[in-house]
Amino acid sequence: MKKKMSGGEILVRSLKREGAEVIFGYPGGSVLPIYDALYDADIQHILMRHEQAAAHAADGYARATGRAGVCMATSGPGATNLVTGIATASMDSSPLVALTGQVPTALIGRDSFQEADITGITLPVTKHNFLVKDVNDLARTIKEAFYIATTGRPGPVLVDIPRDVSGGTARYVEPGPVELPGYKPLVDPDPAMVPAAAKLIAEAQRPVIYAGGGVVSSGAHEELRRLAELIMAPVTTTLMGIGGFPGNHPLSLGMLGMHGTRYANYAVCECDLLVAVGARFDDRVTGKIETFAPEAKIIHIDIDPAEFGKNVRVDVPLAGDVRRVLQKLLDALQGASHQAWMERVDTWKKEFPLQYDTNGLKPQFIIRELDLLTGGNARITTEVGQNQMWAAQFYTYTRPRSFISSGGLGTMGFGFPAAIGVQVACPGETVFDIAGDGSIQMNIQELATVVSNDLPVNVAIMNNGFLGMVRQWQELFYRRRYSYTEIYGPDFVKVAEAYGAEGIRVTKPNEVRPALEQAIASPKPVFIDFLVEREENVVPMVPPGGSLSNMLG
Amino acid sequence: MRHTLAVLVENNPGVLARVAGLFSRRGFNIESLAVGRTENPAVSRMTIMVEADDRVLEQVIKQLRKLIEVLKVQDVTKEEHVDRELALMKVNAEPAKRAEIIQIVEIFRAHIVDIGRKTMIVEVTGDEGKVNALENALRPFGLKELVRTGKVAMLRGTRDMTTNGKEVEE
């Protein structure tokens, strides 16, 4: 007869069975039995300095690897601090398993100390969540949580574990195969729809492929490249799709949408066929929906049938795993050539390149320098705002999972902790968080985490003393009334040094390259405080609610 | 247009909150929702009335299907189906008015299930139109209280939810 184990031990064993290598967490009263099991467990635990950062780090780990990231927090405030990170993962379909402690089952519902109804709170921002009420259900629930998080359209799953469950004892029983009668993730598309899509592609004269995060999460980048080359269609990606198609490929149009390239947006406006691959027609992509791709038939490939027709009408929906759908589609397609269309697109590319002037220290220049220095091979995370858009525009991403950013929720404070998860997942690789002076202050406490765990994460702060993107909107749409967007920050060099990290200040263009080289070479985490031009704008820009054909800047 | 959805869900705590929360956060309007267990104690069935155009209805159904604990969703509106609702109406009934009320109740094949000093409770089962008609007929007497269960619905004949509205081969 097998020996009984504590709930905490069962949890650790279940996590190991799921292949989890690392937990990003923060201890507390309701998770004491779990931390006791972790004390001598063969699983890495990274002690963060805030639970929100734990969720973002696990999310960053998940986005860098494609495997579920695991974060953990105690009940009450620990759990509620995870919520922003869970919502971030939810909006970007990232596989996250969030473990929370809960007060003992007998105290639930009595407003007990550090009690929060975290399954209720996270209902709208999780793919699913569980409250485990019996230690005998724990192993099976963890298996189901990983299964739900990583299959179908990935997403966050929260498992709430009361202290008497983690502290209880049971025999560990290996769970059988997952049986969830209401959950059958799609894989292959309806075979009848593939010829319909192939026919539209064969008839198209001006096709454009619009690729989103689904390409990255399903690992379909190779299939996407083959499709684009086979049918000679230019490819534009969403923010989430960056890296899903090589940025240096002749067919690449870069990003589309509000801060996309003119040539991507013009191509979408004039195309007669739009092949949406793992993308969801977000408002930041489409602009004014009535004028989006007005002449195009639309093929929509997505794992989630609820995305079909949600924002735009679709001519041929193909539901299934993006990679599998593309494989089936490639089998059904003949090569095609659209010389006239490609010439038109190339003319736009020459006429309207992304550009910036070089007066003073420009954020765009810094990112270009980083691109040249790293050959497009660094892992880049971003915060949210101008820094994020410049990082999307001016770095050449050549491989999937190399650009990691909060797209849907737009979470300031994401990039630095996400970079921690990326660095843990990819030791030995160069990791940069491209930050603003506003965003970095939202999770700056994680300096302690990177220093104490010897994680050589680099943070490039585009320091303009403003909440830059909001300031840009105030400049453009609120007559330069800079209401509370001028933001005081600390001496970031001293802050980094105070934590035991390295700090570098850059004020001139010719200091950029040496500073980046120094940061990459340093075994320590490095903050580079780039004092950039204060009122630089992100251009081009589709004004909110405007059409893609009508860009400013 | 109004639609009647039959939704099979796992009989777990919190499943009602998941369904109701989905409707509210996506801005879908529930007109009525009736829920109870089915022939299988592990499964509950919801009948949800929703006012929606075709595009919104499609979203409602697809989003419901994404919930892990939702087993099956079917729009029975256009299928041959039976739907019923039960209502209790407490109506002012001075002795002088009672005969008239009883006559109305009989016409609707409803029942009087309680008589107080000045009131009666009328129980009626039927489709929505019948319940509405009785309500309108009794309103002039003074409706003190009205409670309706919301509609429950079932496909006619041999078809059932587990065959997804397709005819079962016999």
Side-chain angles (χ1 to χ4, degrees):
Chain A
M1 180 170 279
K2 275 191 284 187
K3 162 169 137 331
K4 285 199 172 185
M5 297 164 75
S6 79
E9 290 166 335
I10 290 173
L11 174 66
V12 169
R13 182 150 170 189
S14 302
L15 292 173
K16 287 191 66 73
R17 187 198 55 221
E18 297 303 326
E21 298 165 332
V22 56
I23 301 168
F24 301 91
Y26 203 96
S30 293
V31 285
L32 276 167
I34 300 172
Y35 273 85
D36 190 56
L38 284 174
Y39 185 69
D40 43 17
D42 176 22
I43 192 164
Q44 192 184 4
H45 177 278
I46 305 276
L47 175 63
M48 308 298 290
R49 294 303 187 270
H50 192 295
E51 291 91 348
Q52 183 192 346
H56 291 325
D59 189 354
Y61 177 93
R63 295 185 201 216
T65 61
R67 301 196 300 272
V70 182
C71 61
M72 182 152 63
T74 192
S75 64
T80 56
N81 274 345
L82 291 178
V83 172
T84 300
I86 294 171
T88 303
S90 177
M91 287 290 265
D92 291 343
S93 304
S94 178
L96 180 73
V97 173
L99 306 168
T100 49
Q102 182 54 279
V103 300
T105 46
L107 293 181
I108 291 177
R110 298 217 245 151
D111 300 327
S112 309
F113 176 66
Q114 291 195 330
E115 179 183 359
D117 172 17
I118 198 63
T119 49
I121 289 169
T122 58
L123 214 61
V125 294
T126 49
K127 186 171 173 187
H128 194 56
N129 61 26
F130 297 92
L131 169 61
V132 184
K133 285 185 165 167
D134 183 339
V135 62
N136 292 295
D137 294 337
L138 188 55
R140 184 179 50 77
T141 305
I142 295 299
K143 182 161 185 170
E144 289 177 357
F146 275 81
Y147 179 72
I148 292 169
T150 55
T151 55
R153 180 177 183 168
V157 177
L158 179 136
V159 184
D160 198 22
I161 308 170
R163 202 180 63 200
D164 56 324
V165 171
S166 55
T169 54
R171 287 189 179 82
Y172 177 83
V173 181
E174 190 68 31
V178 171
E179 281 179 36
L180 296 162
Y183 181 66
K184 299 277 177 277
L186 283 169
V187 180
D188 285 323
D190 179 351
M193 301 304 273
V194 175
K199 182 163 175 288
L200 284 189
I201 291 172
E203 288 167 0
Q205 301 295 314
R206 303 184 305 280
V208 167
I209 297 172
Y210 147 54
V215 172
V216 176
S217 60
S218 76
H221 48 280
E222 197 50 46
E223 285 76 6
L224 177 68
R225 190 184 55 75
R226 281 172 53 206
L227 175 70
E229 289 171 355
L230 182 67
I231 66 171
M232 199 189 272
V235 179
T236 179
T237 71
T238 66
L239 188 76
M240 298 305 300
I242 288 176
F245 189 75
N248 53 1
H249 193 287
L251 289 169
S252 172
L253 297 176
M255 185 169 73
L256 82 166
M258 182 174 274
H259 290 297
T261 61
R262 278 182 186 268
Y263 39 94
N265 286 346
Y266 291 171
V268 168
C269 288
E270 287 200 12
C271 70
D272 66 351
L273 175 71
L274 190 68
V275 186
V277 189
R280 60 184 176 85
F281 299 89
D282 179 80
D283 57 276
R284 284 291 191 269
V285 160
T286 62
K288 188 178 177 190
I289 200 96
E290 294 78 16
T291 56
F292 178 73
E295 296 169 33
K297 292 230 164 45
I298 294 179
I299 297 171
H300 192 178
I301 302 171
D302 205 280
I303 186 108
D304 182 358
E307 292 300 343
F308 303 140
K310 188 177 83 177
N311 296 334
V312 299
R313 47 145 199 92
V314 170
D315 295 287
V316 179
L318 287 168
D321 175 73
V322 166
R323 182 158 183 233
R324 291 286 280 267
V325 176
L326 288 183
Q327 287 167 346
K328 302 270 179 200
L329 196 54
L330 282 166
D331 289 343
L333 283 172
Q334 311 270 314
S337 173
H338 309 286
Q339 279 306 339
W341 175 232
M342 287 314 302
E343 279 166 27
R344 185 153 174 74
V345 170
D346 286 336
T347 308
W348 284 325
K349 276 189 176 182
K350 288 194 190 82
E351 201 173 340
F352 306 110
L354 287 173
Q355 55 191 347
Y356 56 93
D357 68 61
T358 46
N359 301 323
L361 181 57
K362 290 293 171 73
Q364 302 95 322
F365 169 76
I366 295 164
I367 292 163
R368 266 282 142 83
E369 286 291 288
L370 180 63
D371 185 24
L372 294 173
L373 187 61
T374 56
N377 281 320
R379 303 262 183 180
I380 305 291
T381 70
T382 77
E383 304 291 341
V384 166
Q386 290 185 318
N387 61 80
Q388 177 184 35
M389 291 298 111
W390 286 318
Q393 291 175 331
F394 289 97
Y395 195 91
T396 313
Y397 302 89
T398 53
R399 54 181 180 153
R401 305 191 181 284
S402 60
F403 176 76
I404 289 167
S405 187
S406 169
L409 198 67
T411 307
M412 289 174 70
F414 171 82
F416 187 27
I420 292 174
V422 175
Q423 188 75 78
V424 168
C426 312
E429 292 197 40
T430 298
V431 179
F432 265 88
D433 170 32
I434 294 178
D437 53 308
S439 285
I440 193 60
Q441 292 186 65
M442 285 207 177
N443 270 314
I444 200 162
Q445 76 286 344
E446 298 309 316
L447 268 165
T449 308
V450 289
V451 169
S452 59
N453 289 281
D454 295 322
L455 297 168
V457 168
N458 304 299
V459 180
I461 303 170
M462 306 296 142
N463 186 351
N464 53 18
F466 277 113
L467 297 173
M469 186 60 93
V470 185
R471 184 209 56 75
Q472 177 173 338
W473 284 49
Q474 288 172 336
E475 176 189 332
L476 296 174
F477 310 120
Y478 291 88
R479 293 175 290 124
R480 298 178 65 102
R481 287 158 56 88
Y482 292 163
S483 183
Y484 299 101
T485 43
E486 188 162 16
I487 185 169
Y488 169 81
D491 180 331
F492 289 111
V493 172
K494 281 189 182 161
V495 170
E497 287 168 356
Y499 274 100
E502 211 168 306
I504 307 171
R505 177 159 298 112
V506 173
T507 56
K508 296 191 206 65
N510 64 6
E511 296 167 356
V512 171
R513 180 65 76 109
L516 292 170
E517 281 170 348
Q518 184 187 334
I520 291 168
S522 171
K524 282 185 173 183
V526 181
F527 266 34
I528 313 177
D529 186 19
F530 291 103
L531 300 182
V532 297
E533 285 299 305
R534 296 199 66 201
E535 297 192 34
E536 184 70 7
N537 284 342
V538 178
V539 290
M541 177 180 192
V542 179
S547 301
L548 295 192
S549 56
N550 206 352
M551 298 190 82
L552 307 174
Chain B
M1 176 179 173
R2 296 171 78 186
H3 293 266
T4 306
L5 302 181
V7 183
L8 292 182
V9 299
E10 288 189 58
N11 187 9
N12 293 343
V15 67
L16 180 60
R18 287 182 203 279
V19 171
L22 171 68
F23 274 78
S24 69
R25 78 171 175 275
R26 295 227 176 238
F28 308 144
N29 250 329
I30 299 183
E31 297 224 343
S32 76
L33 188 157
V35 57
R37 61 168 196 81
T38 62
E39 71 284 355
N40 177 351
V43 175
S44 292
R45 178 157 167 163
M46 297 179 179
T47 307
I48 305 175
M49 298 259 301
V50 55
E51 171 75 42
D53 62 27
D54 287 348
R55 197 187 67 81
V56 172
L57 179 77
E58 188 185 330
Q59 269 296 302
V60 169
I61 292 173
K62 285 174 169 176
Q63 295 293 348
L64 279 171
R65 285 189 177 138
K66 279 168 71 172
L67 296 178
I68 308 290
E69 289 162 321
V70 168
L71 304 173
K72 200 146 274 186
V73 185
Q74 193 178 358
D75 179 10
V76 302
T77 318
K78 286 179 181 149
E79 310 279 337
E80 281 291 318
H81 71 278
V82 181
D83 61 62
R84 289 291 180 270
E85 187 174 11
L86 184 144
L88 296 175
M89 304 177 189
K90 186 178 283 180
V91 59
N92 282 332
E94 298 289 341
K97 297 280 187 187
R98 284 187 185 174
E100 200 182 337
I101 292 172
I102 289 167
Q103 208 174 12
I104 292 170
V105 167
E106 279 174 1
I107 290 168
F108 281 90
R109 273 167 284 166
H111 305 282
I112 291 162
V113 292
D114 181 65
I115 298 188
R117 234 162 20 90
K118 291 181 178 169
T119 61
M120 295 199 293
I121 297 178
V122 178
E123 174 204 309
V124 61
T125 308
D127 63 22
E128 204 185 351
K130 175 179 164 183
V131 176
N132 288 346
L134 180 60
E135 181 188 333
N136 289 334
L138 293 179
R139 196 170 283 282
F141 298 94
L143 266 181
K144 292 177 69 69
E145 253 186 87
L146 168 69
V147 57
R148 297 171 74 144
T149 57
K151 189 191 276 189
V152 294
M154 193 174 270
L155 293 178
R156 286 187 183 274
T158 46
R159 297 176 309 163
D160 59 39
M161 277 292 283
T162 52
T163 54
N164 229 352
K166 294 186 185 94
E167 204 75 42
V168 182
E169 298 207 14
E170 289 175 81

